[in-house]
Amino acid sequence: MPDNQGDKFASIIGSEQAEPTNIVIFGASGDLSKRKLLPALAHMHRWNLLGPHSRIIGSVRENWTKSHWINYVHDQLLQYFPDAVLNPPSWKRISHKLDLVNGDLTDPEMYQQLAKILHAENGKKNALFYLAIPPAWYECVAKNLSEAGLVDESEGFRRIVIEKPFGMDLSSAQNLNQNLQQYFDESQIYRIDHYLGKEAVQNLMVFRFANSVLEPLWNRNYIDHVQISVAESLGIGYRAGYYENSGALKDMIQSHLLQVLSLVAMEPPVSLGADDVRNEKLKVLKAVRTITPKDVDKIAVRAQYTAGTAAGIDLPAYRDEKGVADDSTTETFAAVKFYVDNWRWQGVPFLLRTGKALPERVSEICIRFKAPPQTLFDLHDSNVRNNELIFRLQPDEGMLLSMTAKQPGLSTDLRGVQLDASYGIAGSEIPEAYETLFHDVLLGEAGLFSRADEVEESWRIIEPIMKNWSEKKDISTYPAGSIDVPGLDDLIADCEGKWRDISTKKHEY
Ligand code: BG6
């Protein structure tokens, strides 16, 4: 298939083709690279979104030859995006783009090799450096790139992409930012938060700012509270090394869920320019009420899974997972009630919850509206609740508006109905978050990436909870496959309604 038969797809994620770019992946033989980055690049190649003469340059520690690297990419794509290699002409074109440097990240010689590869080309020498490596190496790579003259933009753009965690607390995040900014300008640094690449998250902005019907309702007068839920059915798998020092609060709430909160709560930006959007998100984060030590136990709940069966898979207790300490108090579930102290949101709770080993994998934003001011109908025993607007991030990306209607018949029985705008129903092909984000980095569009000050503000918000939890010697538990977390319902007790049932039975309401 020709690489440009992607009109339908290209029209979804933007058909603009990127300028030719040398895409350098540090940690190219690692997990992120094989599962996400290589398939995303192959997808983009297929839809003609990578500029001609772009190259994908793997940087690996192993002493591989270029042909070994090409075979490796072939094998990974066969597993994660088979279409890319099962079509011989397409694979041939991808394989011609592959190049390799090997060596240790600390070795200046490797960066000289890289400089040679970048300079071996005529024309523009744009370069994107993707750091798919542990954060402890970020500064070392940035410094070496700078010393090898690879950060200078006189011959083309230079951009660096990093993955979370961006620090493990406020001061380490500040250090990381300062260290990177010694070598790269903030405008060259792209901090990936893959939740911002998710279709439904982006649609939230479109939905809010391209429709006039919502704006009058989008405030404390009509909205009772907001729930943001990210439930995963898997346990921590092989990631104990990272997770033991992180936990659900730092792993998910500090980054993805607070980013989503800021998109729900932000004021309309003056333009879609990256800094206009990020300035508005930052204002929200700054307005999140500072949590005092005495409030932590009232607004935050944590727990850890014990053995059970989640989505049909038997899971051991977290403490029995490989690499986890027998007396670990790391939380695998966290829920927090935040308030945004500004004119629009005063008094509206934002309830965030996330966890592993829960019954299903479901992520959604629920805007729950207030009940009508007067109850004319007998709601007793009926299956009717407050209106809700749901943005389903996964699975079944889309939006649902739940309303109340009359049950057909002679009596005035009420029932819940849903206006369902599922993306699946619209028949669209949904790009994977990494494709959207890669595309944006290549085009220099930074709106979906976290800026240094947003990251630091998010740490400011959660630090009092981190401190409180780090001082506790025990932790509540929930059986894997359930969401029976002690204290969870108390967080929502002063709101209208309960926690939404995060099940994929989307018509249940
Ligand atoms: C990552 C977290 O950022 O997001 C993981 O480190 C988590 O712990 C993952 O599993 C969830 O992403 P998604 O897209 O599968 O919801």
Side-chain angles (χ1 to χ4, degrees):
M1 173 163 97
D3 289 342
N4 60 356
Q5 279 191 4
D7 292 346
K8 184 178 90 175
F9 184 78
S11 70
I12 297 168
I13 70 166
S15 52
E16 196 178 339
Q17 192 183 60
E19 283 187 17
T21 304
N22 293 289
I23 300 167
V24 185
I25 304 178
F26 290 93
S29 56
D31 212 50
L32 177 67
S33 167
K34 69 183 181 194
R35 283 176 196 272
K36 298 288 184 188
L37 307 185
L38 295 172
L41 288 169
H43 227 139
M44 291 175 68
H45 169 75
R46 173 172 164 165
W47 300 114
N48 221 19
L49 296 171
L50 293 180
H53 312 300
S54 287
R55 281 185 295 180
I56 302 169
I57 304 165
S59 153
V60 296
R61 206 175 24 191
E62 297 86 350
N63 196 16
W64 287 359
T65 60
K66 186 167 157 184
S67 65
H68 185 104
W69 162 238
I70 293 174
N71 288 337
Y72 175 86
V73 175
H74 181 275
D75 292 350
Q76 304 316 317
L77 290 178
L78 196 56
Q79 192 175 351
Y80 295 104
F81 178 34
D83 282 3
V85 286
L86 294 177
N87 174 331
S90 165
W91 166 241
K92 196 168 164 204
R93 281 190 294 272
I94 295 178
S95 62
H96 282 162
K97 291 187 179 299
L98 297 173
D99 219 324
L100 176 77
V101 282
N102 31 33
D104 197 280
L105 293 174
T106 55
D107 181 4
E109 175 49 31
M110 187 186 67
Y111 299 86
Q112 292 306 330
Q113 266 187 63
L114 188 57
K116 272 193 209 129
I117 295 185
L118 297 193
H119 289 117
E121 198 193 341
N122 293 324
K124 276 226 164 182
K125 299 181 174 71
N126 296 321
L128 179 167
F129 304 113
Y130 201 117
L131 274 51
I133 50 177
W137 292 102
Y138 290 171
E139 189 192 350
C140 162
V141 173
K143 179 168 181 277
N144 276 297
L145 286 170
S146 168
E147 285 173 359
L150 291 171
V151 175
D152 178 75
E153 293 201 296
S154 52
E155 294 188 313
F157 70 68
R158 298 297 150 102
R159 296 176 188 147
I160 187 166
V161 183
I162 56 170
E163 287 274 338
K164 70 183 249 296
F166 309 126
M168 290 308 277
D169 55 19
L170 178 57
S171 80
S172 57
Q174 287 167 331
N175 281 342
L176 174 65
N177 287 335
Q178 281 158 13
N179 289 340
L180 289 177
Q181 287 163 354
Q182 287 178 63
Y183 309 108
F184 285 85
D185 185 75
E186 176 64 23
S187 63
Q188 296 172 285
I189 305 173
Y190 289 71
R191 295 176 191 79
I192 287 240
D193 183 312
H194 76 281
Y195 263 65
L196 299 186
K198 289 188 191 276
E199 195 61 24
V201 174
Q202 293 174 67
N203 192 39
L204 177 64
M205 279 233 281
V206 178
F207 199 65
R208 282 196 58 197
F209 303 132
N211 296 296
S212 57
V213 68
L214 280 183
E215 175 56 22
L217 307 178
W218 208 259
N219 55 54
R220 68 199 160 88
N221 296 326
Y222 295 95
I223 294 177
D224 181 72
H225 69 270
V226 175
Q227 296 181 22
I228 300 173
S229 308
V230 175
E232 299 181 78
S233 58
L234 295 177
I236 53 136
Y238 58 90
R239 295 176 71 218
Y242 157 74
Y243 203 83
E244 270 285 83
N245 293 316
S246 175
L249 180 70
K250 295 191 210 171
D251 184 40
M252 298 295 286
I253 293 188
Q254 183 273 335
S255 50
H256 308 319
L257 279 81
L258 280 173
Q259 280 289 327
V260 173
L261 180 155
S262 66
L263 287 172
V264 172
M266 71 193 267
E267 293 300 315
V270 291
S271 82
L272 288 180
D275 278 331
D276 287 336
V277 173
R278 297 191 293 186
N279 288 344
E280 293 305 333
K281 283 165 56 203
L282 180 66
K283 281 190 211 162
V284 173
L285 296 173
K286 280 179 181 277
V288 171
R289 187 177 301 166
T290 302
I291 299 162
T292 58
K294 73 175 174 29
D295 284 340
V296 173
D297 291 337
K298 290 186 215 140
I299 55 91
V301 163
R302 67 171 190 163
Q304 190 185 76
Y305 63 85
T306 53
T309 305
I313 297 177
D314 290 338
L315 293 174
Y318 176 73
R319 287 183 179 177
D320 293 333
E321 296 272 19
K322 196 161 174 246
V324 173
D326 293 346
D327 56 353
S328 170
T329 53
T330 301
E331 78 284 356
T332 57
F333 180 95
V336 185
K337 176 158 65 175
F338 292 110
Y339 286 93
V340 178
D341 284 336
N342 64 16
W343 194 282
R344 188 187 285 268
W345 296 112
Q346 192 56 246
V348 177
F350 283 76
L351 295 150
L352 276 46
R353 62 179 167 163
T354 182
K356 301 207 182 274
L358 296 178
E360 290 191 49
R361 179 175 185 252
V362 175
S363 300
E364 60 169 44
I365 304 162
C366 165
I367 314 292
R368 183 169 290 158
F369 292 92
K370 292 186 172 174
Q374 189 185 1
T375 311
L376 293 176
F377 305 97
D378 179 11
L379 299 183
H380 188 66
D381 276 350
S382 80
N383 189 22
V384 171
R385 296 200 214 130
N386 298 39
N387 295 136
E388 287 176 350
L389 180 61
I390 312 294
F391 292 85
R392 179 65 70 89
L393 313 188
Q394 61 202 18
D396 303 326
E397 292 93 335
M399 290 173 298
L400 301 170
L401 178 62
S402 62
M403 312 275 291
T404 302
K406 181 179 172 301
Q407 180 81 38
L410 296 179
S411 61
T412 318
D413 288 340
L414 306 187
R415 63 174 178 146
V417 290
Q418 291 195 329
L419 308 181
D420 181 343
S422 157
Y423 290 177
I425 290 170
S428 321
E429 186 165 350
I430 298 176
E432 227 269 319
Y434 274 92
E435 288 162 52
T436 304
L437 295 171
F438 247 128
H439 190 242
D440 277 8
V441 184
L442 289 169
L443 296 183
E445 290 174 4
L448 295 180
F449 297 83
S450 316
R451 210 171 48 189
D453 46 9
E454 290 178 82
V455 171
E456 291 176 16
E457 203 57 46
S458 307
W459 283 115
R460 192 258 324 150
I461 292 170
I462 67 155
E463 271 208 337
I465 310 175
M466 286 164 49
K467 182 162 183 307
N468 176 299
W469 287 357
S470 70
E471 288 162 0
K472 287 195 156 82
K473 299 216 162 31
D474 53 7
I475 183 164
S476 307
T477 57
Y478 60 101
S482 81
I483 190 169
D484 298 333
V485 172
L488 184 57
D489 289 342
D490 297 342
L491 289 189
I492 202 169
D494 54 356
C495 300
E496 291 184 22
K498 300 183 179 155
W499 285 104
R500 255 180 69 82
D501 175 10
I502 38 170
S503 83
T504 42
K505 289 176 256 135
K506 61 184 182 180
H507 294 289
E508 193 177 284
Y509 145 83

